[in-house]
Amino acid sequence: MPLNRPRLGLCCIFAEQPIAFRKTTAAYIGRQSRKGALDKLSDIAAQNAVALRQALEFCRANGIGSFRINNEVLPLRTHPQLGYSPLKLRGGKHIVAAFREAGAFAAENDLRTLFHPDQYVVLNSPNSAVVENAKSELEHLAELAEWTHADVLIVHGGGAYGEKDAALDRLAANIESLPTEVRSRLVIENDERVFTPADLLPVCRATGVPFVYDVHHHRCNADGLTVEAATEAAVATWGDREPLFHISSPLEGWMGPKPSRHHDYIDLADFPDCWKGRKVTVEVEAKAKELAVLRLMGQLKMVEV
DNA sequence: AGCGGTCAAGTTGAT
DNA sequence: ATCAACTTGACCGCT
C-alpha cells in the first residue's frame, strides 16, 4: 500500500538553477518589421521550449511533482496587433514539436503541468471586451496545455464590482459559455481580497469546475470556514481528479503590515495538517522557488511517521 | 558591462 | 489621484 502524500509543485521560475524563460515587450516588438518581430519571437519561443524541458527534467530529478508553466512562453501570442499563430513562427513546426515533447516527458514521468493565467484574465467583468479578451487568452493557453499535457488553467473569480452576487452569477454564466478545450481544464481559486472559498464553492458545484484552495489567501480573506472544512469541500469538487492546493507564508509574519506578501520560504507551521497523507498537489508559492520546494519537502518527510 | 526606467491587458485597496 | 499588488522581475536602451 503506497503512502499517500502531497506532491509539491514549483511555480514558473528558478532561484538558483540556470534555467531561464525569456520574454519581450510589446513596445520593443512593435517597433520591428513584421519579419523582424516574428524572428525575435521565434527565438524566444524556441528557447522557452528548451527551458521547459530543462525545468521538467530538474523536477523529475529532484522529486518535485508539478511545474507551473509561465503564461508567456509564447510572448504576445494574443496581442491585438502583434499576435501570431505559433506555426507562423520561423521553425514553428519544430517549436510546437519541442513543446509537445516536453509534455510527453511530463506525462511519462508523472509530472503534473499547469498554467495560472495572469490577472488580466477576468471572466466576470461587466465589460464584454474584457471577457472576450479573457476567453481568447484561455483558448491560447488551452492549446499550449494540450501540447504540454497541462490539466488545469487556474483563474480567480474576478472583481466584485460592488455586487458580489451578480458578479458570481456572471462568472457562472460565462464559464458555461466556454469552449470544451477551456472548460475541461478551467479551475477556480479563492483570492486574498474579493472571493473566498465560501463564495466560489457554490459556483464550482453548479458548473462542475473544480476549486483550487489557496490556504494563504483564505487566511488573508476569511469566510467562517475552517481550513479543514474548506479542504474537504475543495477535494469534493475534483471528483476522480487530483485536487490542487496553494501554500505560502507571509513575508513579515501574520502580524506584519501586509500578510499577503509572500515569504522566501514556507513555514512548516503554515502547512495544514489535514493536507498531509492526501494524494493532492500543493503548489509552493515562495520567492526562493525550487529552494523553498526542496526545503519544505525535506521538512514534511521529517515529520512523517 | 552595468544600470535605471519600463512593461498589453483588470481590479482592488492603501497611500 | 497614484500606485503597488497579484503566480513570477526581466528586458531594453543608454552610458
Side-chain angles (χ1 to χ4, degrees):
Chain A
M1 181 81 177
L3 187 60
N4 273 340
R5 71 160 75 109
R7 61 163 110 193
L8 299 188
L10 173 62
C11 298
C12 304
I13 58 177
F14 292 82
E16 272 194 352
Q17 285 301 305
I19 299 172
F21 292 86
R22 294 191 52 206
K23 61 182 183 181
T24 187
T25 64
Y28 177 65
I29 291 297
R31 236 175 277 137
Q32 324 280 323
S33 69
R34 185 65 177 165
K35 177 169 187 316
L38 283 177
D39 281 350
K40 290 198 165 56
L41 292 163
S42 304
D43 289 343
I44 293 172
Q47 290 180 42
N48 285 344
V50 171
L52 176 58
R53 175 61 181 245
Q54 294 171 332
L56 294 170
E57 295 203 2
F58 178 87
C59 291
R60 171 77 184 84
N62 289 276
I64 296 176
S66 87
F67 184 70
R68 181 187 300 175
I69 305 171
N70 99 61
N71 310 304
E72 297 189 272
V73 286
L74 296 179
L76 304 174
R77 158 89 172 87
T78 58
H79 189 282
Q81 279 81 46
L82 307 172
Y84 54 91
S85 160
L87 286 172
K88 291 281 168 47
L89 294 172
R90 177 166 42 72
K93 281 179 71 172
H94 284 103
I95 291 168
V96 174
F99 278 106
R100 286 189 179 278
E101 283 160 22
F105 177 84
E108 286 158 15
N109 290 284
D110 188 31
L111 287 167
R112 195 176 195 183
T113 55
L114 55 100
F115 290 87
H116 192 341
D118 63 31
Q119 62 270 34
Y120 308 109
V121 174
V122 179
L123 280 175
N124 77 337
S125 175
N127 179 344
S128 61
V130 170
V131 176
E132 286 311 306
N133 190 36
K135 287 186 181 176
S136 153
E137 182 70 14
L138 286 169
E139 286 175 33
H140 152 60
L141 290 172
E143 182 183 39
L144 266 176
E146 196 253 317
W147 299 349
T148 57
H149 289 255
D151 71 309
V152 300
L153 308 175
I154 308 170
V155 298
H156 292 291
Y161 312 94
E163 248 188 317
K164 248 189 183 183
D165 288 344
L168 287 169
D169 288 345
R170 267 199 313 278
L171 176 62
N174 287 335
I175 287 171
E176 302 286 357
S177 77
L178 293 169
T180 307
E181 318 84 75
V182 174
R183 172 87 180 260
S184 62
R185 295 181 171 92
L186 193 80
V187 301
I188 299 182
E189 179 191 350
N190 60 306
D191 63 81
E192 81 283 21
R193 280 217 284 269
V194 182
F195 292 119
T196 64
D199 291 326
L200 295 171
L201 281 161
V203 175
C204 290
R205 294 188 191 110
T207 57
V209 165
F211 176 66
V212 176
Y213 178 40
D214 186 317
V215 70
H216 185 255
H217 289 162
H218 194 203
R219 287 165 175 154
C220 294
N221 186 14
D223 56 6
L225 289 177
T226 62
V227 169
E228 291 74 20
T231 297
E232 290 302 334
V235 167
T237 63
W238 287 85
D240 295 334
R241 301 172 64 190
E242 182 170 315
L244 182 59
F245 300 148
H246 285 174
I247 186 78
S248 335
S249 287
L251 179 57
E252 302 169 274
W254 287 105
M255 294 298 124
K258 283 185 272 188
S260 64
R261 303 291 300 119
H262 290 172
H263 199 279
D264 288 350
Y265 290 92
I266 304 300
D267 181 343
L268 188 58
D270 290 324
F271 195 95
D273 282 333
C274 64
W275 291 6
K276 298 167 186 169
R278 288 181 190 263
K279 186 168 169 46
V280 298
T281 304
V282 179
E283 286 195 283
V284 175
E285 295 181 338
K287 293 193 174 294
K289 311 314 294 186
E290 81 275 19
L291 306 179
V293 178
L294 296 172
R295 181 184 289 185
L296 179 60
M297 202 183 306
Q299 290 176 325
L300 286 170
K301 275 189 189 128
M302 283 171 58
V303 299
E304 197 173 81
V305 279

